[in-house]
Each structure stands twice: as C-alpha cells, then as structure tokens.
Amino acid sequence: MTGSPSKSRNTPPGWHVIGKHGVFPEASHDETARFNFLTNLNMHLAQEVMPGVQAAYEKRALPRFVADKGRPPVSRQEVRRLMEVDPYYQTWSSLRRNTMEMRQQNGRSLSYRRWDDLNQRAAALNAGSPQLQLDPNLPLPRYVSAVDIHCMPGCYHTEYCADDVSVGANYDSGIFVTTAGMLGKYSDGGGQAIVAWLRDQAELGFKPKRILDMGCTVGHNIVPLAQAFPETEIVAVDVAAPVLRYAHARAKSLGVENITFRQANAENLDYADDSFDLVITCMFLHELSSTALPNVINETYRLTRQGGRVLHVEQPQFTDEMPLFEQFMRDWDSRNNNEPFWGTMHDIDVFALMESAGFDRNKLSSIGLTAVVDTSIFPSAAEADEKTEDYGRKPAWHVYVAEK
C-alpha cells in the first residue's frame, strides 16, 4: 500500500501515513486494516451510495408525497419523515451509522490495549507543567454529560483511571476515518486553514498577540497557530480533563511551548474584559445547547479587545436558499450521530446572535475555508468533486468573522 491517494480510483491514503507524536497510540496490523476498511467504506458510501439517496427522493418518495398531499414538502422534517420509510435511505443511513460505531470500537480497542503506556507517556509530558491547568471541581455542563457525542462512548470527558487520556487517543486516532484523510497528517487542516487566513490578515495589519481557542478538545486546530506564530500567547479551554491532558502532552511532544490548556467553561470565563486579540471556535458552536450558545457568543464579545477579531468555523446554516433535501441530509447527524444540537444551531441566525452580544452588524462577515493539507499525500478538500458532496463530512467550512 502506498501513502498517496490513487488519482484513478479516488481512494484515500492509508491510515499509516497519519502523523505520529508522543502520545499517539500505536496500532497493530489488524487495527490499521480496520481503520483503512472503514475509511474506504465511508468514501464508498459518500461517492457511490449517497447519490442514490437523492435519486430515491426525487424519483420515488417526492412524487408519492406530491400525489398524496397535492404539494411538495415544506420543511426538512417532512422530507425526513418521508425518507425514513424508504428502503434505500434506510440502508445508506444504517451503514453510515455503523461506520461511526465501528470507528469508535476500533479506536477504543487500540487505545485501551495500550492504556498504561499511553497514560504514562502523557503523565511524563504533563508533569509539573504550568501550561496544563485542570479544575477537578468544574461542573460538567449537562449538554456534555448527557450525550455521547459522535457515538463516542464516554464522550470527551469520561476518565477510567487516574491521569486517563484514552478518550483523547481514541478521538485523535479515529478522526481520519470520518474525514478520509482530508484533514491532513495531524488532522489539523482546519488549524492550517486559519493560519493561512491569519497570514493574509497580517498583511492588512492584524497581528494577534493573544489568542483564545474555545472548545479545543485535543488541540488539533490550535497547535498549527502556535507553531506558525511562536511569539503569540495562546489559551485553549475545554470542560473535559482527559482531552486536555492528551492535548497538552500532544502539543508538547510536537515542540509547542506557547499554549496553556485550561479546564474551564467557555460560557463563563474568568479573564478580564478585552483580554484577547483573537477568539476562535472550530466546529464547537453546534455542540452547545440553546442556552449555552448565546452565553458563549456573549463571552466572545466580552473577551475580545477593540479592534480584535472573532472567528467561528462551522458548517453552513440552513437557509431558505438551501434546498430542503440538502437540509435534511445535513441534519442527519442530529438524529443519527448523537449531535442533538446540530439542527437547532444551524437554524439560528448566527449574525443576529452576534449582534445581540454587542458586535456591530456592519463589521460581521463570512468567508469560506477549506482544510490545508500536504496534497502530495492527502486529498484536497478544495479540489474535491462537488458532485460527491457528503453533506457535512467534507472539511470545507462556512466561517463567521467579526471585528470588534
């Protein structure tokens, strides 16, 4: 097996090309083979099977609905109820759900098999570091504790022993499967894209000296910023201790010294007003409850200095311009991938929410970003065939930008 994606078959690279670091779990031959099978199965479902879902809707389900009701569906919920009884959709949806569950099983298997080694390696890298600040008394929000996000047993927060990092290792090793390698060597294509955006901003005079990353999990997206701008002070917060232990050890093993990983709730941080030049979130807003989301947006306004920026990397909102079938497909995660707030968040007018927090509407904008990767090895999201859009897995993002 070679490391490069096949141009003729449009297949992903093998899992073995993923970047290793000081706390990355080593995989056996069979564990690597399972990840490769699941990655290719995901691509097959997206490229070969998913188009049939739309054909089933347009050629079978929709005409039947129109014949029965005398009108087309008026909401994605009506499309969902229509498609949930369609055998082709049922087959595709079941397979997609199962690839996620099998990804979690394989990632947990290899992480738990090397439990002692992983935890010891992380503990050695974390020992005595002032840049890992945990708070065992921090209450875990119910929107985190009540659901196993992404079908990940134990979610991001469960600890099975002292100094446990296994949920971080599971998440880090398995994300390649879902994105088919399109996030790059260290699954950090989102962070690399933000670095490219910041380099452009620097030419316009915006050079942040202090950055806050909210909901950092294992630090995929903030480490590239720390590497690109080593003189910048960075704070990365999350509510879950295991992923923070893993994130700090991961960053340190990669030679990063300018990030402080802190266990804290982004809804209510104890930093003074105007503390940061740049506040970012990356695929974090859709994990928040309807109560938490405005609290976090309010904090981004409070913590950003005058002239600073806020950057929210997300998938596109559901709008009147987006076809109902696409809304239905993008909302699959809400009901099938333990993402209960996905649909609600993507219905919200984020700009209105940011304006309510205090941002000037005239200083709000949106841009598109795609993952930046080494295209000699990893597939480019920017060059991916639009006809094989998989409605949410492709690392091409809608980004909300605010200037305070």
Side-chain angles (χ1 to χ4, degrees), residues 13 15-21 24 172 175-176 181-189 192 220 250 254 372-375 377-379:
W15 182 85
H16 64 282
V17 303
I18 200 168
K20 308 300 190 297
H21 50 73
F24 196 82
D172 194 18
I175 193 172
F176 179 95
M182 296 183 93
L183 283 178
K185 183 176 181 181
Y186 290 103
S187 299
D188 63 352
Q192 299 290 358
H220 285 132
R250 178 183 183 276
L254 291 170
V372 174
V373 301
D374 177 357
T375 54
I377 301 175
F378 298 95

Side-chain angles (χ1 to χ4, degrees), residues 44 89 127 135 173 228 265 274 308 316:
H44 178 74
Y89 170 76
D135 179 2
S173 61
N265 188 336
D274 307 324

Side-chain angles (χ1 to χ4, degrees), residues 45-216:
L45 290 175
Q47 296 179 353
E48 306 298 333
V49 181
M50 185 184 288
V53 177
Q54 184 161 6
Y57 173 68
E58 294 176 347
K59 296 180 179 180
R60 184 167 55 226
L62 179 60
R64 186 174 65 248
F65 184 93
V66 172
D68 289 345
K69 304 288 185 182
R71 61 170 177 81
V74 295
S75 69
R76 69 173 186 278
Q77 289 82 5
E78 276 197 339
V79 176
R80 173 175 56 76
R81 288 191 287 273
L82 186 59
M83 293 301 289
E84 281 181 341
V85 297
D86 185 274
Y88 192 99
Y89 170 76
Q90 290 173 341
T91 301
W92 167 82
S93 181
S94 296
L95 287 169
R96 195 185 205 194
R97 164 80 183 209
N98 273 279
T99 61
M100 182 60 77
E101 292 186 357
M102 288 188 285
R103 164 201 152 175
Q104 302 296 354
Q105 291 167 7
N106 197 46
R108 280 159 60 87
S109 172
L110 74 92
S111 298
Y112 293 168
R113 187 171 58 79
R114 296 185 173 276
W115 185 318
D116 289 338
D117 175 53
L118 283 173
N119 290 343
Q120 289 172 13
R121 278 193 276 159
L125 288 161
N126 293 336
S129 173
Q131 291 179 302
L132 176 61
Q133 300 176 5
L134 302 182
D135 179 2
N137 296 316
L138 181 73
L140 199 64
R142 178 158 172 75
Y143 58 84
V144 174
S145 65
V147 61
D148 290 340
I149 295 171
H150 304 152
C151 304
M152 182 165 63
C155 197
Y156 298 106
H157 60 84
T158 298
E159 303 177 61
Y160 300 97
C161 64
D163 298 328
D164 189 15
V165 298
S166 58
V167 293
N170 172 37
Y171 181 70
D172 194 18
S173 61
I175 193 172
F176 179 95
V177 174
T178 304
T179 62
M182 296 183 93
L183 283 178
K185 183 176 181 181
Y186 290 103
S187 299
D188 63 352
Q192 299 290 358
I194 296 173
V195 168
W197 176 80
L198 278 174
R199 293 196 191 285
D200 290 341
Q201 292 298 303
E203 293 183 3
L204 300 174
F206 178 62
K207 300 178 181 178
K209 296 299 183 184
R210 198 164 191 239
I211 297 174
L212 172 65
D213 179 21
M214 293 176 162
C216 66

Side-chain angles (χ1 to χ4, degrees), residues 57 73-84 89 317-319 322-335 340-348:
Y57 173 68
V74 295
S75 69
R76 69 173 186 278
Q77 289 82 5
E78 276 197 339
V79 176
R80 173 175 56 76
R81 288 191 287 273
L82 186 59
M83 293 301 289
E84 281 181 341
Y89 170 76
Q317 296 302 97
F318 301 145
T319 64
M322 182 183 287
L324 291 180
F325 177 79
E326 181 175 348
Q327 292 184 34
F328 152 69
M329 292 295 281
R330 288 187 177 278
D331 199 28
W332 181 88
D333 292 80
S334 294
R335 302 180 67 86
F341 310 113
W342 179 279
T344 303
M345 182 264 152
H346 286 91
D347 276 331
I348 289 174

Side-chain angles (χ1 to χ4, degrees), residues 238-265:
D238 202 288
V239 295
V243 291
L244 288 169
R245 290 191 199 99
Y246 186 86
H248 177 268
R250 178 183 183 276
K252 193 168 183 179
S253 74
L254 291 170
V256 170
E257 300 288 347
N258 54 328
I259 306 177
T260 295
F261 290 94
R262 188 171 179 217
Q263 189 176 10
N265 188 336

Side-chain angles (χ1 to χ4, degrees), residues 227-283:
Q227 293 170 321
F229 309 106
E231 303 302 319
T232 301
E233 178 188 358
I234 297 175
V235 177
V237 301
D238 202 288
V239 295
V243 291
L244 288 169
R245 290 191 199 99
Y246 186 86
H248 177 268
R250 178 183 183 276
K252 193 168 183 179
S253 74
L254 291 170
V256 170
E257 300 288 347
N258 54 328
I259 306 177
T260 295
F261 290 94
R262 188 171 179 217
Q263 189 176 10
N265 188 336
E267 293 181 69
N268 182 24
L269 297 169
D270 59 5
Y271 297 102
D273 296 356
D274 307 324
S275 290
F276 296 92
D277 303 302
L278 173 66
V279 179
I280 68 172
T281 71
C282 195
M283 295 300 284

Side-chain angles (χ1 to χ4, degrees), residues 15 27-37 106 109-110 113:
W15 182 85
S28 67
H29 171 275
D30 288 357
E31 288 161 343
T32 301
R34 288 190 199 105
F35 273 148
N36 285 334
F37 166 75
N106 197 46
S109 172
L110 74 92
R113 187 171 58 79

